[in-house]
Amino acid sequence: VNNIATNMSSLRNAVKRVTHKERSQPRHRAHLEFWKKKHDYKERAKDYHKKQEMLKGMRQRASMKNPDEFYFAMKNSTTNQNGKHVKTDTVIQNERDLGPETIRILKDQDLSYVRLQKQQNKKKMERLSENLHFSEAKHDKRKHTVFVSNEEQAHNFDVADHFDTVPELSGRVFNRIKKKDLPAMAQTLSFPDKKMVKKLAKARRAKYGELAARAIRVEALGLAEAHLETEKLVASKGRKRKIKETENGKPAQYKW
């Protein structure tokens, strides 16, 4: 009976079925547009609700905005035809009226600020590296040399037996706990649960991410500092000649 049922189901799948087509727009309504189906309604409804959620969020942000909030850019900038913020004609004219000495002072302030930010990020990177034990590359790894009498002892040498510890701790160069001390240590130590281990791993990954981001920021600040120094030197007195164009974000090179 089971074989007959299986054969019948396979035959039912093999028989060509009727293709159900969607009904098209009636001929007397063809001049209107195509006849919208349910999936068209769903797309239109999804787009409508998405826009409504966006408007709801904009209204909420507008209601929470501080009416006394003020930035100088509010009166020093305006929007063009494309909706982008641009400086007003008054601000542009005032910048043109600035003398070369004022511009030099402003450039020096920018250079000092960039150097300050660079040093602060470097110090934060050093502190993060110390906390994450990330400074292994700066120091040579310590080694423990053991001398034996002949080659046979060197070939059959077992680190765990020599230091009277378990194989899991044999790779350490410090704090190798002996076998006789392990029971007492197991009673005093409390091992963290899985949630705590995941939480610590997540915090460690976040710190490594911060360290990588700060390294990128230090590199970008270094390029900005180089550009500002080049602009300062070019603006100074003396004949100069460009010997190399800007390349890979680095400033151009000049010869005096």
Side-chain angles (χ1 to χ4, degrees):
V1 178
N2 293 333
N3 293 334
I4 295 173
T6 305
N7 293 333
M8 290 297 292
S9 63
S10 60
L11 287 173
R12 186 171 62 251
N13 293 330
V15 175
K16 182 175 177 59
R17 299 178 183 178
V18 178
T19 303
H20 296 279
K21 297 180 180 180
E22 290 185 350
R23 184 180 177 185
S24 61
Q25 182 76 287
R27 187 176 299 175
H28 66 279
R29 292 176 56 87
H31 64 281
L32 298 176
E33 61 179 359
F34 69 93
W35 197 6
K36 295 179 180 178
K37 307 297 190 301
K38 183 176 180 180
H39 61 85
D40 300 313
Y41 160 76
K42 289 173 67 175
E43 291 294 328
R44 188 175 72 251
K46 189 185 298 183
D47 180 66
Y48 171 77
H49 289 298
K50 181 180 178 181
K51 292 177 180 177
Q52 289 298 316
E53 289 294 329
M54 188 182 299
L55 290 173
K56 182 179 178 182
M58 293 172 65
R59 293 192 190 97
Q60 185 178 5
R61 288 193 294 271
S63 64
M64 296 174 63
K65 187 177 180 180
N66 183 8
D68 298 328
E69 188 175 4
F70 173 75
Y71 300 102
F72 282 102
M74 293 179 180
K75 67 174 186 178
N76 294 335
S77 65
T78 183
T79 54
N80 58 11
Q81 296 178 353
N82 298 327
K84 295 184 178 180
H85 287 276
V86 294
K87 296 179 181 178
T88 59
D89 297 336
T90 306
V91 174
I92 295 174
Q93 186 63 34
N94 291 336
E95 290 180 352
R96 290 175 181 173
D97 294 341
L98 292 176
E101 188 66 22
T102 306
I103 295 175
R104 186 184 63 79
I105 293 173
L106 293 175
K107 292 285 185 181
D108 289 343
Q109 291 177 353
D110 293 341
L111 184 59
S112 301
Y113 176 76
V114 170
R115 285 174 177 169
L116 176 64
Q117 292 295 320
K118 182 180 175 183
Q119 292 298 325
Q120 289 179 351
N121 279 272
K122 277 188 174 181
K123 290 181 180 179
K124 290 179 180 178
M125 282 180 61
E126 291 176 359
R127 288 197 293 268
L128 280 172
S129 300
E130 292 174 359
N131 294 335
L132 294 171
H133 305 286
F134 200 67
S135 57
E136 295 180 359
K138 299 179 181 179
H139 307 283
D140 296 331
K141 292 184 178 181
R142 293 181 290 175
K143 298 180 180 178
H144 196 141
T145 305
V146 178
F147 297 92
V148 294
S149 301
N150 50 46
E151 293 184 1
E152 184 179 357
Q153 292 183 0
H155 183 71
N156 299 326
F157 183 76
D158 190 355
V159 179
D161 291 341
H162 180 79
F163 292 107
D164 190 23
T165 185
V166 293
E168 288 79 4
L169 302 177
S170 59
R172 289 189 176 185
V173 293
F174 65 95
N175 195 19
R176 291 194 192 95
I177 304 173
K178 296 186 178 296
K179 291 181 180 179
K180 62 180 181 179
D181 299 330
L182 283 175
M185 293 289 292
Q187 294 179 0
T188 56
L189 290 176
S190 59
F191 296 95
D193 56 356
K194 291 183 179 180
K195 289 185 178 180
M196 183 61 67
V197 171
K198 288 183 179 180
K199 187 175 181 180
L200 293 174
K202 185 178 180 180
R204 193 183 302 111
R205 286 195 300 270
K207 288 187 177 181
Y208 275 112
E210 182 184 356
L211 186 62
R214 289 196 179 278
I216 295 172
R217 179 173 172 79
V218 167
E219 184 179 358
L221 288 171
L223 290 175
E225 181 183 3
H227 278 282
L228 288 172
E229 286 180 350
T230 303
E231 291 179 6
K232 181 180 178 181
L233 293 173
V234 170
S236 61
K237 296 181 180 180
R239 294 182 60 186
K240 58 194 74 67
R241 180 167 55 90
K242 185 184 289 187
I243 59 176
K244 190 175 181 181
E245 294 289 341
T246 304
E247 186 178 6
N248 297 328
K250 296 180 181 179
Q253 295 182 9
Y254 294 84
K255 184 177 180 180
W256 275 261

